[in-house]
Amino acid sequence: MHLHANRLSIAIGLILTFATGAVFCRVLGHDFVFDDKPYVLLNEHVRTGISLENLNWAFTSFYSANWHPLTWIFHMLDCMLFGLKPAGHHLVNLMFHIVNSLLLFGLLSKITSSQWKGAFVAALFALHPLHVESVAWVAEKKDVLSTFFFLLTILAYIGYVRNPIFTKYALVVVFFILGLMSKPMVVTLPFVLLLLDYWPLCRVSSSIPSCSSPTKRAASMRGLFFEKVPLLILAILSCVITYIAQQKGGAVGSFEQYSLGIRTANAVLSYVNYIGKMFWPRNLAVFYPHPGNLIATWQVVLAMLVLLAISLVAVFTRRTKPFLITGWLWYLSTLIPVIGFVQVGGQAMADRYTYIPLIGLFIMIAWGVPDVVGCLRIKGKQGERLKGRLPYYFTSNVLPLAAGISVGVIMFSTWVQVGYWQDSISLYRHAIAVTHNNWLMHNNLGVALAAEGRYTEAICHYFAAIRAKPEYADAHTNMGNALSKLGRFNEAISEYQKAISLNPTNALVHYNLGAILAGLGRFDEATVEFAKAVSINPNLRAAKQALEMLRKRQVNPDGR
């Protein structure tokens, strides 16, 4: 029996590996996209590989408003192994995703003794289109890497539960630290461990009437909580470091932009929208613009009712169907760091944020649907119950067929979604097509088109970005750059001036404006702009040289 189970696990693992590789294999031919360039290509510390100087930078830098030194080290290692060719970087992301899927399957099989349900959860995790972003985006290596250590921490915790000795617990702490150093979103892991204590580990005294967990060891909730205190301290420390990093990086600027009411409304709506996209993964985009105060009250009320209804079902069935409350609270809790109560950036939500949280919903489906089917009873013609016949028919025929069809559908959807990540232009065009007033994607598409010399097309998208968000300084700046390339200097000057009025601390815009003014013979105005650029950024060599030349010209206008 044990040998048969091992063979089945190996077979399922091979199928998972092959299916995931087949669906995602196209990423190996994809380019770097979105912010892969500042993360990898233009980051001297990353592109030059592992060195003492670069390691020091990884641990002390808050680059891009993040502190994740282990992720930086893996990016450096990728550059050492594969150079700046994107295929190798994509391959590493894909390999981590496959390993994560196998770890999830092994983890659930180990603690629930249900291989097929664990396999279904792992298949949904491996193949769902909402997870394309985490795999196909090189800069999101932090997602797959942190989840790798997230799952290793849980596996180590199971080992500790079975044999509670110091070395086992130390391994839990080490893996958790490595996860936090990869991406701080895993701060909710101590709470996830408490959920697993309830089900399927069944460590809470008298929590579930019938529990056949092989790791059952009854304990009080107070004892289980104190057991997690070292992990909670680490999580709090990570939160403090993350807040400092994002504050220094300017990523929390949106916190004051939106009121608490708006942020709460968006968070509630996002919880339900993620569920909707899980069941119907259409119109997925790399960036969803924050709606601000445009969220309708009825939408928020309806979303709250949906969340409340699911929560009540989970609570009232917690003893007979404990997998529901564990899965539901897993989903709710692991999204808290990124749901938007503390707004970071201009997005309403992001597909990558679902990488860990969806596991909770997948657990609810994998264990909940067979449980519901098992409760079905129908009456025969003579009024006798056909006890067990309908459930047996469904569980042995219909459910496996439905599961297979579901996996097939999401595989096709994921295959299509992977195609949109081929290059930046394809990615941005798709995001614009499936969202409304997407100011960031219009601006980014304009930048990508301008890089190919397609300035007229780029200007159209800058106009769209400004129309959607008039106070967007970067779009005015990029518009000025494109107009300047086309020789439309007076229009470029106007756009630069608008950009400066919105963000007067951008030294490069002052320099660009000064360069155009100098070219038009307006030397006094140009001198003022070059001086402002140098005062903002004394290391801007081009501005310093231009300012020096103009000042010499003022002293010696005849050039003698």
Side-chain angles (χ1 to χ4, degrees), residues 189-217:
L189 181 53
F191 183 72
V192 170
L193 296 181
L194 284 172
L195 293 176
L196 296 177
D197 283 337
Y198 184 78
W199 182 89
L201 297 180
C202 302
R203 298 183 68 203
V204 181
S205 303
S206 304
S207 60
I208 304 171
S210 59
C211 183
S212 58
S213 171
T215 58
K216 183 173 181 180
R217 186 185 295 272

PDB file of all heavy atoms in Angstrom, residues 189-217:
ATOM      1  N   LEU A 189       2.838  34.369   7.690  1.00  0.00           N
ATOM      2  CA  LEU A 189       3.066  32.932   7.858  1.00  0.00           C
ATOM      3  C   LEU A 189       2.786  32.422   9.272  1.00  0.00           C
ATOM      4  O   LEU A 189       2.218  31.331   9.429  1.00  0.00           O
ATOM      5  CB  LEU A 189       4.491  32.579   7.430  1.00  0.00           C
ATOM      6  CG  LEU A 189       4.902  31.108   7.505  1.00  0.00           C
ATOM      7  CD1 LEU A 189       3.917  30.214   6.773  1.00  0.00           C
ATOM      8  CD2 LEU A 189       6.301  30.906   6.965  1.00  0.00           C
ATOM      9  N   PRO A 190       3.137  33.139  10.354  1.00  0.00           N
ATOM     10  CA  PRO A 190       2.800  32.633  11.694  1.00  0.00           C
ATOM     11  C   PRO A 190       1.303  32.380  11.867  1.00  0.00           C
ATOM     12  O   PRO A 190       0.899  31.398  12.506  1.00  0.00           O
ATOM     13  CB  PRO A 190       3.285  33.752  12.625  1.00  0.00           C
ATOM     14  CG  PRO A 190       4.395  34.406  11.871  1.00  0.00           C
ATOM     15  CD  PRO A 190       3.972  34.362  10.433  1.00  0.00           C
ATOM     16  N   PHE A 191       0.477  33.255  11.284  1.00  0.00           N
ATOM     17  CA  PHE A 191      -0.971  33.050  11.376  1.00  0.00           C
ATOM     18  C   PHE A 191      -1.395  31.836  10.557  1.00  0.00           C
ATOM     19  O   PHE A 191      -2.282  31.077  10.971  1.00  0.00           O
ATOM     20  CB  PHE A 191      -1.707  34.299  10.898  1.00  0.00           C
ATOM     21  CG  PHE A 191      -3.202  34.201  11.026  1.00  0.00           C
ATOM     22  CD1 PHE A 191      -3.820  34.243  12.262  1.00  0.00           C
ATOM     23  CD2 PHE A 191      -3.995  34.033   9.901  1.00  0.00           C
ATOM     24  CE1 PHE A 191      -5.195  34.134  12.385  1.00  0.00           C
ATOM     25  CE2 PHE A 191      -5.378  33.935  10.007  1.00  0.00           C
ATOM     26  CZ  PHE A 191      -5.979  33.984  11.261  1.00  0.00           C
ATOM     27  N   VAL A 192      -0.766  31.642   9.399  1.00  0.00           N
ATOM     28  CA  VAL A 192      -1.066  30.463   8.580  1.00  0.00           C
ATOM     29  C   VAL A 192      -0.750  29.186   9.355  1.00  0.00           C
ATOM     30  O   VAL A 192      -1.505  28.201   9.293  1.00  0.00           O
ATOM     31  CB  VAL A 192      -0.278  30.507   7.253  1.00  0.00           C
ATOM     32  CG1 VAL A 192      -0.395  29.176   6.505  1.00  0.00           C
ATOM     33  CG2 VAL A 192      -0.776  31.644   6.369  1.00  0.00           C
ATOM     34  N   LEU A 193       0.332  29.193  10.100  1.00  0.00           N
ATOM     35  CA  LEU A 193       0.686  28.013  10.904  1.00  0.00           C
ATOM     36  C   LEU A 193      -0.374  27.745  11.966  1.00  0.00           C
ATOM     37  O   LEU A 193      -0.695  26.590  12.261  1.00  0.00           O
ATOM     38  CB  LEU A 193       2.057  28.213  11.549  1.00  0.00           C
ATOM     39  CG  LEU A 193       3.244  28.331  10.587  1.00  0.00           C
ATOM     40  CD1 LEU A 193       4.543  28.500  11.362  1.00  0.00           C
ATOM     41  CD2 LEU A 193       3.333  27.129   9.650  1.00  0.00           C
ATOM     42  N   LEU A 194      -0.935  28.805  12.550  1.00  0.00           N
ATOM     43  CA  LEU A 194      -2.028  28.629  13.521  1.00  0.00           C
ATOM     44  C   LEU A 194      -3.257  28.022  12.855  1.00  0.00           C
ATOM     45  O   LEU A 194      -3.945  27.175  13.441  1.00  0.00           O
ATOM     46  CB  LEU A 194      -2.386  29.971  14.155  1.00  0.00           C
ATOM     47  CG  LEU A 194      -1.429  30.501  15.229  1.00  0.00           C
ATOM     48  CD1 LEU A 194      -1.809  31.919  15.624  1.00  0.00           C
ATOM     49  CD2 LEU A 194      -1.428  29.589  16.450  1.00  0.00           C
ATOM     50  N   LEU A 195      -3.528  28.450  11.617  1.00  0.00           N
ATOM     51  CA  LEU A 195      -4.654  27.864  10.881  1.00  0.00           C
ATOM     52  C   LEU A 195      -4.425  26.380  10.630  1.00  0.00           C
ATOM     53  O   LEU A 195      -5.344  25.565  10.777  1.00  0.00           O
ATOM     54  CB  LEU A 195      -4.843  28.595   9.547  1.00  0.00           C
ATOM     55  CG  LEU A 195      -5.306  30.052   9.610  1.00  0.00           C
ATOM     56  CD1 LEU A 195      -5.352  30.642   8.206  1.00  0.00           C
ATOM     57  CD2 LEU A 195      -6.674  30.159  10.269  1.00  0.00           C
ATOM     58  N   LEU A 196      -3.213  26.029  10.257  1.00  0.00           N
ATOM     59  CA  LEU A 196      -2.898  24.617  10.018  1.00  0.00           C
ATOM     60  C   LEU A 196      -2.943  23.816  11.318  1.00  0.00           C
ATOM     61  O   LEU A 196      -3.245  22.613  11.302  1.00  0.00           O
ATOM     62  CB  LEU A 196      -1.530  24.498   9.350  1.00  0.00           C
ATOM     63  CG  LEU A 196      -1.415  25.113   7.950  1.00  0.00           C
ATOM     64  CD1 LEU A 196       0.014  24.987   7.428  1.00  0.00           C
ATOM     65  CD2 LEU A 196      -2.389  24.456   6.984  1.00  0.00           C
ATOM     66  N   ASP A 197      -2.638  24.470  12.437  1.00  0.00           N
ATOM     67  CA  ASP A 197      -2.788  23.801  13.734  1.00  0.00           C
ATOM     68  C   ASP A 197      -4.231  23.371  13.946  1.00  0.00           C
ATOM     69  O   ASP A 197      -4.502  22.318  14.530  1.00  0.00           O
ATOM     70  CB  ASP A 197      -2.370  24.750  14.870  1.00  0.00           C
ATOM     71  CG  ASP A 197      -0.864  24.872  14.999  1.00  0.00           C
ATOM     72  OD1 ASP A 197      -0.154  23.956  14.558  1.00  0.00           O
ATOM     73  OD2 ASP A 197      -0.407  25.901  15.538  1.00  0.00           O
ATOM     74  N   TYR A 198      -5.165  24.205  13.481  1.00  0.00           N
ATOM     75  CA  TYR A 198      -6.583  23.874  13.631  1.00  0.00           C
ATOM     76  C   TYR A 198      -6.980  22.742  12.695  1.00  0.00           C
ATOM     77  O   TYR A 198      -7.590  21.751  13.104  1.00  0.00           O
ATOM     78  CB  TYR A 198      -7.435  25.120  13.359  1.00  0.00           C
ATOM     79  CG  TYR A 198      -8.910  24.894  13.597  1.00  0.00           C
ATOM     80  CD1 TYR A 198      -9.421  24.883  14.887  1.00  0.00           C
ATOM     81  CD2 TYR A 198      -9.774  24.664  12.529  1.00  0.00           C
ATOM     82  CE1 TYR A 198     -10.777  24.651  15.121  1.00  0.00           C
ATOM     83  CE2 TYR A 198     -11.128  24.440  12.748  1.00  0.00           C
ATOM     84  CZ  TYR A 198     -11.625  24.431  14.040  1.00  0.00           C
ATOM     85  OH  TYR A 198     -12.949  24.197  14.256  1.00  0.00           O
ATOM     86  N   TRP A 199      -6.635  22.921  11.410  1.00  0.00           N
ATOM     87  CA  TRP A 199      -6.850  21.879  10.414  1.00  0.00           C
ATOM     88  C   TRP A 199      -5.816  22.054   9.319  1.00  0.00           C
ATOM     89  O   TRP A 199      -5.557  23.162   8.893  1.00  0.00           O
ATOM     90  CB  TRP A 199      -8.247  21.983   9.779  1.00  0.00           C
ATOM     91  CG  TRP A 199      -8.509  20.882   8.785  1.00  0.00           C
ATOM     92  CD1 TRP A 199      -9.033  19.650   9.038  1.00  0.00           C
ATOM     93  CD2 TRP A 199      -8.219  20.909   7.385  1.00  0.00           C
ATOM     94  NE1 TRP A 199      -9.091  18.903   7.893  1.00  0.00           N
ATOM     95  CE2 TRP A 199      -8.595  19.653   6.847  1.00  0.00           C
ATOM     96  CE3 TRP A 199      -7.668  21.846   6.510  1.00  0.00           C
ATOM     97  CZ2 TRP A 199      -8.433  19.330   5.499  1.00  0.00           C
ATOM     98  CZ3 TRP A 199      -7.500  21.533   5.173  1.00  0.00           C
ATOM     99  CH2 TRP A 199      -7.899  20.281   4.687  1.00  0.00           C
ATOM    100  N   PRO A 200      -5.184  20.992   8.905  1.00  0.00           N
ATOM    101  CA  PRO A 200      -5.454  19.570   9.180  1.00  0.00           C
ATOM    102  C   PRO A 200      -4.596  18.953  10.288  1.00  0.00           C
ATOM    103  O   PRO A 200      -4.694  17.757  10.522  1.00  0.00           O
ATOM    104  CB  PRO A 200      -5.136  18.920   7.835  1.00  0.00           C
ATOM    105  CG  PRO A 200      -4.034  19.757   7.283  1.00  0.00           C
ATOM    106  CD  PRO A 200      -4.302  21.171   7.731  1.00  0.00           C
ATOM    107  N   LEU A 201      -3.735  19.758  10.945  1.00  0.00           N
ATOM    108  CA  LEU A 201      -2.886  19.173  11.974  1.00  0.00           C
ATOM    109  C   LEU A 201      -3.660  18.836  13.240  1.00  0.00           C
ATOM    110  O   LEU A 201      -3.216  18.000  14.039  1.00  0.00           O
ATOM    111  CB  LEU A 201      -1.740  20.136  12.314  1.00  0.00           C
ATOM    112  CG  LEU A 201      -0.763  20.437  11.166  1.00  0.00           C
ATOM    113  CD1 LEU A 201       0.318  21.397  11.623  1.00  0.00           C
ATOM    114  CD2 LEU A 201      -0.139  19.144  10.640  1.00  0.00           C
ATOM    115  N   CYS A 202      -4.820  19.497  13.456  1.00  0.00           N
ATOM    116  CA  CYS A 202      -5.708  19.174  14.580  1.00  0.00           C
ATOM    117  C   CYS A 202      -4.994  19.227  15.928  1.00  0.00           C
ATOM    118  O   CYS A 202      -5.121  18.325  16.760  1.00  0.00           O
ATOM    119  CB  CYS A 202      -6.327  17.787  14.396  1.00  0.00           C
ATOM    120  SG  CYS A 202      -7.253  17.622  12.852  1.00  0.00           S
ATOM    121  N   ARG A 203      -4.251  20.303  16.156  1.00  0.00           N
ATOM    122  CA  ARG A 203      -3.503  20.436  17.406  1.00  0.00           C
ATOM    123  C   ARG A 203      -4.299  21.170  18.480  1.00  0.00           C
ATOM    124  O   ARG A 203      -3.866  21.252  19.628  1.00  0.00           O
ATOM    125  CB  ARG A 203      -2.190  21.177  17.151  1.00  0.00           C
ATOM    126  CG  ARG A 203      -1.252  20.464  16.193  1.00  0.00           C
ATOM    127  CD  ARG A 203       0.046  21.233  16.065  1.00  0.00           C
ATOM    128  NE  ARG A 203       0.814  21.201  17.296  1.00  0.00           N
ATOM    129  CZ  ARG A 203       1.729  22.110  17.629  1.00  0.00           C
ATOM    130  NH1 ARG A 203       1.958  23.139  16.828  1.00  0.00           N
ATOM    131  NH2 ARG A 203       2.398  22.010  18.758  1.00  0.00           N
ATOM    132  N   VAL A 204      -5.439  21.744  18.101  1.00  0.00           N
ATOM    133  CA  VAL A 204      -6.256  22.479  19.068  1.00  0.00           C
ATOM    134  C   VAL A 204      -7.108  21.486  19.842  1.00  0.00           C
ATOM    135  O   VAL A 204      -7.809  20.664  19.256  1.00  0.00           O
ATOM    136  CB  VAL A 204      -7.156  23.512  18.363  1.00  0.00           C
ATOM    137  CG1 VAL A 204      -7.992  24.279  19.374  1.00  0.00           C
ATOM    138  CG2 VAL A 204      -6.307  24.473  17.534  1.00  0.00           C
ATOM    139  N   SER A 205      -7.075  21.582  21.151  1.00  0.00           N
ATOM    140  CA  SER A 205      -7.797  20.630  22.008  1.00  0.00           C
ATOM    141  C   SER A 205      -9.288  20.631  21.693  1.00  0.00           C
ATOM    142  O   SER A 205      -9.940  21.677  21.713  1.00  0.00           O
ATOM    143  CB  SER A 205      -7.589  21.000  23.483  1.00  0.00           C
ATOM    144  OG  SER A 205      -6.215  21.025  23.795  1.00  0.00           O
ATOM    145  N   SER A 206      -9.813  19.445  21.383  1.00  0.00           N
ATOM    146  CA  SER A 206     -11.248  19.233  21.153  1.00  0.00           C
ATOM    147  C   SER A 206     -11.807  20.172  20.079  1.00  0.00           C
ATOM    148  O   SER A 206     -12.946  20.616  20.157  1.00  0.00           O
ATOM    149  CB  SER A 206     -12.038  19.443  22.455  1.00  0.00           C
ATOM    150  OG  SER A 206     -11.540  18.609  23.466  1.00  0.00           O
ATOM    151  N   SER A 207     -11.015  20.471  19.092  1.00  0.00           N
ATOM    152  CA  SER A 207     -11.480  21.417  18.073  1.00  0.00           C
ATOM    153  C   SER A 207     -12.370  20.756  17.038  1.00  0.00           C
ATOM    154  O   SER A 207     -13.348  21.344  16.582  1.00  0.00           O
ATOM    155  CB  SER A 207     -10.271  22.064  17.370  1.00  0.00           C
ATOM    156  OG  SER A 207      -9.470  21.056  16.745  1.00  0.00           O
ATOM    157  N   ILE A 208     -12.043  19.534  16.662  1.00  0.00           N
ATOM    158  CA  ILE A 208     -12.770  18.860  15.593  1.00  0.00           C
ATOM    159  C   ILE A 208     -13.136  17.461  16.072  1.00  0.00           C
ATOM    160  O   ILE A 208     -12.270  16.715  16.547  1.00  0.00           O
ATOM    161  CB  ILE A 208     -11.907  18.784  14.317  1.00  0.00           C
ATOM    162  CG1 ILE A 208     -11.467  20.202  13.906  1.00  0.00           C
ATOM    163  CG2 ILE A 208     -12.661  18.123  13.185  1.00  0.00           C
ATOM    164  CD1 ILE A 208     -10.442  20.212  12.807  1.00  0.00           C
ATOM    165  N   PRO A 209     -14.414  17.104  15.983  1.00  0.00           N
ATOM    166  CA  PRO A 209     -14.858  15.795  16.502  1.00  0.00           C
ATOM    167  C   PRO A 209     -14.067  14.620  15.945  1.00  0.00           C
ATOM    168  O   PRO A 209     -13.673  13.722  16.683  1.00  0.00           O
ATOM    169  CB  PRO A 209     -16.331  15.737  16.068  1.00  0.00           C
ATOM    170  CG  PRO A 209     -16.734  17.166  15.913  1.00  0.00           C
ATOM    171  CD  PRO A 209     -15.522  17.883  15.427  1.00  0.00           C
ATOM    172  N   SER A 210     -13.869  14.605  14.642  1.00  0.00           N
ATOM    173  CA  SER A 210     -13.155  13.472  14.035  1.00  0.00           C
ATOM    174  C   SER A 210     -11.996  13.993  13.216  1.00  0.00           C
ATOM    175  O   SER A 210     -12.186  14.725  12.261  1.00  0.00           O
ATOM    176  CB  SER A 210     -14.104  12.678  13.131  1.00  0.00           C
ATOM    177  OG  SER A 210     -14.635  13.493  12.115  1.00  0.00           O
ATOM    178  N   CYS A 211     -10.810  13.669  13.644  1.00  0.00           N
ATOM    179  CA  CYS A 211      -9.621  14.135  12.928  1.00  0.00           C
ATOM    180  C   CYS A 211      -8.601  13.007  12.930  1.00  0.00           C
ATOM    181  O   CYS A 211      -8.189  12.537  13.986  1.00  0.00           O
ATOM    182  CB  CYS A 211      -9.049  15.380  13.587  1.00  0.00           C
ATOM    183  SG  CYS A 211      -7.631  16.053  12.684  1.00  0.00           S
ATOM    184  N   SER A 212      -8.244  12.587  11.751  1.00  0.00           N
ATOM    185  CA  SER A 212      -7.325  11.450  11.638  1.00  0.00           C
ATOM    186  C   SER A 212      -5.935  11.896  11.227  1.00  0.00           C
ATOM    187  O   SER A 212      -5.187  11.155  10.626  1.00  0.00           O
ATOM    188  CB  SER A 212      -7.857  10.454  10.597  1.00  0.00           C
ATOM    189  OG  SER A 212      -8.009  11.102   9.333  1.00  0.00           O
ATOM    190  N   SER A 213      -5.605  13.164  11.536  1.00  0.00           N
ATOM    191  CA  SER A 213      -4.299  13.673  11.136  1.00  0.00           C
ATOM    192  C   SER A 213      -3.181  12.876  11.781  1.00  0.00           C
ATOM    193  O   SER A 213      -3.202  12.609  12.975  1.00  0.00           O
ATOM    194  CB  SER A 213      -4.163  15.145  11.531  1.00  0.00           C
ATOM    195  OG  SER A 213      -2.828  15.572  11.339  1.00  0.00           O
ATOM    196  N   PRO A 214      -2.151  12.502  10.997  1.00  0.00           N
ATOM    197  CA  PRO A 214      -1.023  11.764  11.573  1.00  0.00           C
ATOM    198  C   PRO A 214      -0.171  12.621  12.498  1.00  0.00           C
ATOM    199  O   PRO A 214       0.683  12.123  13.186  1.00  0.00           O
ATOM    200  CB  PRO A 214      -0.223  11.342  10.333  1.00  0.00           C
ATOM    201  CG  PRO A 214      -0.576  12.356   9.286  1.00  0.00           C
ATOM    202  CD  PRO A 214      -1.998  12.711   9.553  1.00  0.00           C
ATOM    203  N   THR A 215      -0.397  13.956  12.506  1.00  0.00           N
ATOM    204  CA  THR A 215       0.404  14.829  13.354  1.00  0.00           C
ATOM    205  C   THR A 215      -0.395  15.343  14.543  1.00  0.00           C
ATOM    206  O   THR A 215      -0.041  16.330  15.158  1.00  0.00           O
ATOM    207  CB  THR A 215       0.916  16.028  12.543  1.00  0.00           C
ATOM    208  OG1 THR A 215      -0.209  16.728  11.993  1.00  0.00           O
ATOM    209  CG2 THR A 215       1.816  15.579  11.424  1.00  0.00           C
ATOM    210  N   LYS A 216      -1.520  14.695  14.846  1.00  0.00           N
ATOM    211  CA  LYS A 216      -2.390  15.189  15.916  1.00  0.00           C
ATOM    212  C   LYS A 216      -1.661  15.181  17.255  1.00  0.00           C
ATOM    213  O   LYS A 216      -1.134  14.191  17.701  1.00  0.00           O
ATOM    214  CB  LYS A 216      -3.649  14.337  16.003  1.00  0.00           C
ATOM    215  CG  LYS A 216      -4.624  14.863  17.060  1.00  0.00           C
ATOM    216  CD  LYS A 216      -5.932  14.096  17.003  1.00  0.00           C
ATOM    217  CE  LYS A 216      -6.920  14.638  18.040  1.00  0.00           C
ATOM    218  NZ  LYS A 216      -8.190  13.936  18.021  1.00  0.00           N
ATOM    219  N   ARG A 217      -1.662  16.374  17.886  1.00  0.00           N
ATOM    220  CA  ARG A 217      -1.058  16.517  19.212  1.00  0.00           C
ATOM    221  C   ARG A 217      -1.801  17.675  19.888  1.00  0.00           C
ATOM    222  O   ARG A 217      -1.552  18.846  19.609  1.00  0.00           O
ATOM    223  CB  ARG A 217       0.436  16.809  19.112  1.00  0.00           C
ATOM    224  CG  ARG A 217       1.157  16.832  20.466  1.00  0.00           C
ATOM    225  CD  ARG A 217       2.600  17.238  20.269  1.00  0.00           C
ATOM    226  NE  ARG A 217       3.338  16.280  19.499  1.00  0.00           N
ATOM    227  CZ  ARG A 217       3.970  15.241  20.010  1.00  0.00           C
ATOM    228  NH1 ARG A 217       3.925  15.028  21.320  1.00  0.00           N
ATOM    229  NH2 ARG A 217       4.643  14.415  19.252  1.00  0.00           N
TER     230      ARG A 217
END
